[in-house]
């Protein structure tokens, strides 16, 4: 059995035809993932006991003639910011190195109820802050396509796992691009659903008004299958939406003729030529499929990076206040007073990027600066959302790059936080607007580096996004 090439449907079909058992797929996936991990550092830990127990449940259900679920027997990798009961969840931070959560995130419960097999937890930037996975306290992840390059971040481990084929699908989290950008860098599909589509219960909060859980897959269909499983209202997250969850895979019918697509002129001006050429070629593929393409404008784009880095740092400074040495595992010793204990714990526990954001966020929220920065940023966020709302009066989807450049070298930007922040320009707009957006592979540069194309649609219209991406993939646009 070649786990590296299996799709969700193939696993299911193999189980139902009794060609193999879930226990065999799981054992083989674990063996392969552990053997490959030295090349990428994609996984922080494996969960063989939990995985084999889940596999047994699936095999028993099949033996009893029961429906085993949409993800029956499918090996899943999970970003280490998503809580798993009894399984250490570090968020890529020293502070949580030994933290064992007492409950499962809702997305995890739903995955397992659908027969999914969690084989391990994946490396990520500390508390999901970063664009290269170099901010992890447990070492960077290497891009499986080009080991001297970053896999993107912050969900770099999940993207690398799927690209390596050590997991069939994976979960990541996206606050400003952390699913789409690593998907683009590693050449896999990555989906950020509408804000509220998937419950955030059990997702460690970075910036609560921007955080999403979403899937990675080798194909659009696999990613769509996972989203359907994890989506939907959850009483434990008051921001999760009550909207009905459509059968996404049933909509993958290739019918995209006449769909109106907008190309934002503000997005195409700063691209490196190779990425720009690949996006242009991707747009041609969509035109050949019968889509109608027009120029559009998203005029507030220039303010997006500044807006995002004010809002996300403000929310992060508040969310990270809970890691104080009292509530969660790590506590620095040798402190004479309570204030010293806080200072020493946070001083030695957090890495440089988290500290930078806590300071920035505290600053923009402080008296005297709140109106000038935080309040202003919220107003600009509304303008960015309005840009998209206006665009969607004319078009069904927006087509855009994911990143200004393909995967960069390890160490290349790590000392220049501003350059790192600027690389998020194309992904943070969709996050600020809360609309569904995804990266679908659209070819490789001459050096063999993958490039992703971004598709963005109206709130809760993941169906149109998946339909376009799937038609594009089937027409060879991903090759
Ligand atoms: N790169 C962005 C940041 O550093 C996005 C991170 C994310 O989406 N979690 O904030």
């Amino acid at each position: 059995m070649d786990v590296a090439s299996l799709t969700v449907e193939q696993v299911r079909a193999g189980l139902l035809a009794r060609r193999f058992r879930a226990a065999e797929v799981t054992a083989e996936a674990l063996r392969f993932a552990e053997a490959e991990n030295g090349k990428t550092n994609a996984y922080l830990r494996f969960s063989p006991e939990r995985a084999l127990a889940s596999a047994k449940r699936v095999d028993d259900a099949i033996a009893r003639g029961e429906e085993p679920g949409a993800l029956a027997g499918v090996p899943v990798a999970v970003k280490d910011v998503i809580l798993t009961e009894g399984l250490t969840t570090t968020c890529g931070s020293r502070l949580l190195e030994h933290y064992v959560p007492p409950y499962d995130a809702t997305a995890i419960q739903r995955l397992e109820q659908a027969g999914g097999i969690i084989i391990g937890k994946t490396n990520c930037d500390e508390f999901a802050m970063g664009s290269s996975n170099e901010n992890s306290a447990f070492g960077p992840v290497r891009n499986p396509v080009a080991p001297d390059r970053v896999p993107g971040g912050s969900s770099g481990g999940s993207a690398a796992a799927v690209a390596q084929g050590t997991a069939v699908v994976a979960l990541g989290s996206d606050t400003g691009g952390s699913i789409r950008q690593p998907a683009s860098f590693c050449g896999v599909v990555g989906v950020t659903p509408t804000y509220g589509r998937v419950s955030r219960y059990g997702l460690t909060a970075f910036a609560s008004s921007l955080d999403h859980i979403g899937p990675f897959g080798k194909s659009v269909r696999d990613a769509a299958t996972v989203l359907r499983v994890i989506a939907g209202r959850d009483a434990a997250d008051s921001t999760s939406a009550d909207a009905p969850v459509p059968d996404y895979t049933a909509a993958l019918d290739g019918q995209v003729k006449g769909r109106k697509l907008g190309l934002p002129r503000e997005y195409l001006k700063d691209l490196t030529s190779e990425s720009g050429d690949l996006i242009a070629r991707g747009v041609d593929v969509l035109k050949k499929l019968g889509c109608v393409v027009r120029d559009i404008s998203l005029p507030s784009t220039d303010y997006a990076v500044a807006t995002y880095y004010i809002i996300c740092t403000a929310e992060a400074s508040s969310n990270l206040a809970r890691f104080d040495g009292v509530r969660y595992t790590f506590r620095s010793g040798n402190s004479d007073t309570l204030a010293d204990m806080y200072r020493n714990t946070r001083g030695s526990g957090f890495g440089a990027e988290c500290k930078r954001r806590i300071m920035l966020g505290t600053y923009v929220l402080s008296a005297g600066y709140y109106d000038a920065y935080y309040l202003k940023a919220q107003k600009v966020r509304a303008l960015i959302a309005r840009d998209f709302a206006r665009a969607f009066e004319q078009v069904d989807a927006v087509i855009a790059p994911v990143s200004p450049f393909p995967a960069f070298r390890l160490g290349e930007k790590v000392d220049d936080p501003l350059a790192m922040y600027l690389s998020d320009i194309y992904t943070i707009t969709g996050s600020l607007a809360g609309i569904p957006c995804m990266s679908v592979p659209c070819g490789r540069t001459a050096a063999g580096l993958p490039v992703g194309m971004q598709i963005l649609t109206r709130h809760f219209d993941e169906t149109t996004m998946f339909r376009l991406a799937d038609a594009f993939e089937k027409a060879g646009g991903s090759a």
Side-chain angles (χ1 to χ4, degrees):
M1 171 196 326
D2 178 20
V3 265
S5 66
L6 284 176
T7 64
V8 170
E9 259 177 314
Q10 284 166 352
V11 175
R12 207 183 132 79
L15 292 176
L16 293 178
R18 310 286 208 271
R19 274 200 303 281
F20 45 72
R21 289 178 304 118
E24 291 168 298
V25 185
T26 302
E28 178 55 18
L30 282 163
R31 188 202 60 76
F32 181 53
E34 288 183 41
E36 289 294 291
N37 204 40
K39 296 181 189 159
T40 57
N41 196 26
Y43 293 84
L44 293 175
R45 84 195 34 74
F46 296 99
S47 44
E49 283 165 20
R50 182 167 181 153
L52 291 166
S54 301
K56 185 170 183 323
R57 279 199 300 277
V58 171
D59 286 331
D60 289 351
I62 292 175
R64 287 194 300 269
E66 289 166 16
E67 162 56 49
L71 294 174
V74 172
V76 188
V78 175
K79 183 178 184 181
D80 212 20
V81 291
I82 301 174
L83 302 192
T84 40
E85 184 181 348
L87 185 60
T88 311
T89 300
T90 65
C91 299
S93 179
R94 283 272 165 239
L95 263 174
L96 295 181
E97 194 173 355
H98 304 293
Y99 174 60
V100 181
Y103 65 95
D104 279 326
T106 299
I108 297 292
Q109 287 172 19
R110 291 184 179 178
L111 270 182
E112 288 188 333
Q113 271 159 17
I117 313 285
I118 292 163
I119 61 163
K121 304 295 293 286
T122 57
N123 204 342
C124 56
D125 285 302
E126 187 174 9
F127 290 105
M129 298 174 185
S131 312
S132 69
N133 219 118
E134 292 166 296
N135 296 335
S136 166
F138 308 107
V141 175
R142 292 179 180 275
N143 190 321
V145 180
D148 59 332
R149 294 183 184 257
V150 303
S154 61
S155 315
S158 288
V162 173
Q164 259 185 319
T166 55
V168 174
V169 293
L171 288 188
S173 71
D174 192 313
T175 302
S178 280
I179 291 176
R180 288 159 286 158
Q181 188 249 22
S184 166
F185 281 15
C186 293
V188 298
V189 174
V191 177
T192 310
T194 309
Y195 181 80
R197 186 54 116 177
V198 176
S199 168
R200 290 180 295 112
Y201 183 67
L203 168 66
T204 309
F206 159 13
S208 312
S209 77
L210 292 156
D211 292 341
H212 307 67
I213 292 179
F216 289 94
K218 285 191 288 266
S219 68
V220 175
R221 176 172 289 268
D222 280 3
T225 303
V226 177
L227 182 61
R228 180 153 193 238
V229 165
I230 61 175
R233 171 77 186 157
D234 171 21
D237 173 5
S238 62
T239 62
S240 70
D242 216 352
V245 180
D247 183 349
Y248 300 124
T249 52
L252 305 182
D253 53 9
Q255 297 305 309
V256 298
K257 199 156 182 263
R259 292 283 168 175
K260 295 193 215 80
L261 310 180
L263 276 184
R265 63 184 80 103
E266 293 81 3
Y267 282 43
L268 301 172
K269 59 183 198 309
D270 299 323
L271 274 181
T272 60
S273 58
E274 269 195 306
S275 298
D277 290 350
L278 286 168
I279 301 291
R281 214 197 52 163
V283 171
D284 282 342
V285 171
L286 290 166
K287 278 189 195 157
K288 287 208 189 84
L289 288 168
C291 297
V292 186
V293 177
R294 64 161 72 167
D295 226 31
I296 57 160
S297 175
L298 298 171
S300 310
T301 303
D302 276 353
Y303 311 110
V305 174
T307 304
Y308 170 82
Y309 278 95
I310 290 171
I311 294 173
C312 86
T313 56
E315 294 185 23
S317 71
S318 156
N319 276 325
L320 296 183
R322 74 193 63 172
F323 302 108
D324 57 2
V326 177
R327 298 175 178 82
Y328 295 87
T329 64
F330 175 77
R331 173 182 297 176
S332 164
N334 304 328
S335 304
D336 293 331
T337 65
L338 184 62
D340 266 357
M341 192 279 287
Y342 288 153
R343 199 175 298 120
N344 294 338
T345 297
R346 291 166 67 80
S348 57
F350 284 122
E353 184 59 31
C354 288
K355 287 182 192 162
R356 189 176 294 125
R357 295 196 190 201
I358 291 168
M359 284 190 285
L360 267 171
T362 310
Y363 178 78
V364 299
L365 287 177
S366 52
Y369 297 106
Y370 180 92
D371 290 356
Y373 293 105
Y374 185 72
L375 206 59
K376 187 62 93 28
Q378 291 293 9
K379 289 179 182 163
V380 181
R381 180 178 188 173
L383 294 179
I384 290 168
R386 198 179 66 185
D387 280 1
F388 279 107
R390 287 194 174 148
F392 290 130
E393 286 168 10
Q394 304 169 40
V395 296
D396 302 309
V398 170
I399 303 296
V402 175
S403 163
F405 31 70
F408 43 90
R409 290 203 161 71
L410 283 154
E412 189 178 323
K413 293 187 199 296
V414 75
D415 298 323
D416 188 351
L418 213 54
M420 201 74 98
Y421 295 174
L422 289 170
S423 72
D424 297 333
I425 174 71
Y426 303 128
T427 49
I428 54 190
T429 47
S431 310
L432 287 163
I435 55 177
C437 26
M438 70 183 284
S439 175
V440 60
C442 82
R444 293 188 177 208
T445 65
L449 300 175
V451 170
M453 179 176 83
Q454 193 175 188
I455 305 176
L456 307 95
T457 50
R458 297 180 184 100
H459 287 110
F460 297 105
D461 190 12
E462 284 86 0
T463 303
T464 297
M465 178 177 83
F466 284 135
R467 186 181 270 133
L468 282 163
D470 170 71
F472 178 77
E473 188 181 71
K474 288 189 180 131
S478 301

